[in-house]
Amino acid sequence: MALIAHTAQALPTETLDQLRSAVARATRPEQLGGRSPYHYTFWYSLATPPRNIVEAAVRDHLVHHIPAEVRTAAVGVEWWLGRLAPPYASNFEFGLHRDIGEDPETGALDSPMLSSVMYLTDVDDGPLMVFAGEPSPEAQDREFVFPAENLYVTFPGHLWHSVGNRADVRREPPAAPEHRERLTVLVNWWPYQPGDIAAEPMKQVAAAYDGSMYPELRAAVASAQISS
C-alpha cells in the first residue's frame, strides 16, 4: 500500500502565486524576529469562513484532494507554515517527527486522520520521507517525495516523517530549480479540535488565528476577494 498520495497542480496558478508570495513575506527571518514558523500552528474550522489565504486555499481547493472518508469526518484543520533554507535536512530542527494532538474530552494524545504538505516552491533537495514503521536510516518500508511547485502530498497522520537529503534516497539532482527557499503550508485534518496545550519546543498549538501573527496572509485573502 502506498504511504504517500500526490496531487500535482493542486492550486490554480493565481492562488498559488498569491499564497507563495504571502508565505514568503510572512516567514522572513527578520519578520519573525528569530522565531521559527514550525513553532506555531493554527486551527481552522471547516464550517466557518476563511480568515486568510491559507484557510481559503484549504476550503476552496485542498479539501477536494483528500480521501472522501477524511473529508466526511473532518471538522477542521490544524495548519502552519514552513520555510527552510539549504541544507534543508540540517535546518529542520525537529528531525524525525510524528503529528500528535490532545483529545480535549479524554486528554489522550492522538494523531490526525491525515497529514499533508502543500509545496509552494521547487528545491533541489530536502525530500519528505515517510516511514511505515519505526524510522531509521536503514528502513526499507519508507517512501519519499521531492518538493515541487504546486504539489500537494498527503499521508496517514500517525506515521513518522522527516525532511531528508538527496544522499538518503540516492537520487541524482534534478534540474536547477527556480527557488532555493523551501516554502510549504502544512495541514493536518482532524475529526475534533485538538487541545492547545503545547510542550516545548512548540509555542502555540491549534490556536485561534486572530490576524496578529502573519498579517500578510490576511491581507492576501482580502486582496484576492477584491480582485475576484
Side-chain angles (χ1 to χ4, degrees):
M1 172 180 270
L3 302 179
I4 301 174
H6 314 69
T7 300
Q9 305 304 311
L11 300 176
T13 300
E14 183 178 6
T15 300
L16 173 67
D17 290 344
Q18 292 171 336
L19 183 58
R20 179 175 54 228
S21 176
V23 171
R25 287 183 283 112
T27 58
R28 287 176 298 174
E30 63 272 22
Q31 189 80 351
L32 291 177
R35 298 171 295 177
S36 168
Y38 292 95
H39 289 167
Y40 299 86
T41 80
F42 300 92
W43 176 256
Y44 171 51
S45 170
L46 294 170
T48 61
R51 298 158 296 187
N52 56 60
I53 195 167
V54 168
E55 296 174 354
V58 168
R59 183 198 65 176
D60 296 340
H61 304 292
L62 299 188
V63 71
H64 302 299
H65 303 314
I66 63 173
E69 61 271 21
V70 174
R71 188 162 55 247
T72 299
V75 301
V77 300
E78 176 191 16
W79 63 266
W80 65 104
L81 306 181
R83 182 186 187 122
L84 292 175
Y88 307 102
S90 299
N91 286 331
F92 185 61
E93 60 191 276
F94 293 155
L96 287 165
H97 180 66
R98 184 167 60 179
D99 296 324
I100 58 172
E102 182 186 43
D103 184 330
E105 291 190 2
T106 67
L109 294 179
D110 200 1
S111 294
M113 296 181 292
L114 196 72
S115 297
S116 65
V117 185
M118 181 68 226
Y119 291 106
L120 306 179
T121 56
D122 295 305
V123 300
D124 63 357
D125 205 341
L128 167 69
M129 304 181 68
V130 177
F131 300 85
E134 290 297 319
S136 75
E138 297 78 27
Q140 298 299 309
D141 53 347
R142 66 180 185 181
E143 292 183 8
F144 65 90
V145 61
F146 278 83
E149 183 180 279
N150 211 4
L151 175 69
Y152 184 52
V153 171
T154 63
F155 56 94
H158 67 281
L159 297 182
W160 287 96
H161 51 281
S162 69
V163 174
N165 58 59
R166 192 183 302 112
D168 293 329
V169 295
R170 297 179 176 86
R171 192 185 99 156
E172 291 301 313
E178 179 182 354
H179 306 280
R180 288 183 60 77
E181 293 290 339
R182 184 181 188 273
L183 298 178
T184 53
V185 174
L186 303 106
V187 183
N188 287 343
W189 300 82
W190 288 90
Y192 56 80
Q193 180 177 356
D196 59 2
I197 299 174
E200 292 293 337
M202 300 300 291
K203 305 298 183 186
Q204 180 171 289
V205 174
Y209 177 83
D210 62 7
S212 58
M213 190 171 184
Y214 304 142
E216 299 85 355
L217 304 181
R218 187 171 56 179
V221 77
S223 174
Q225 289 171 343
I226 291 171
S227 63
S228 61

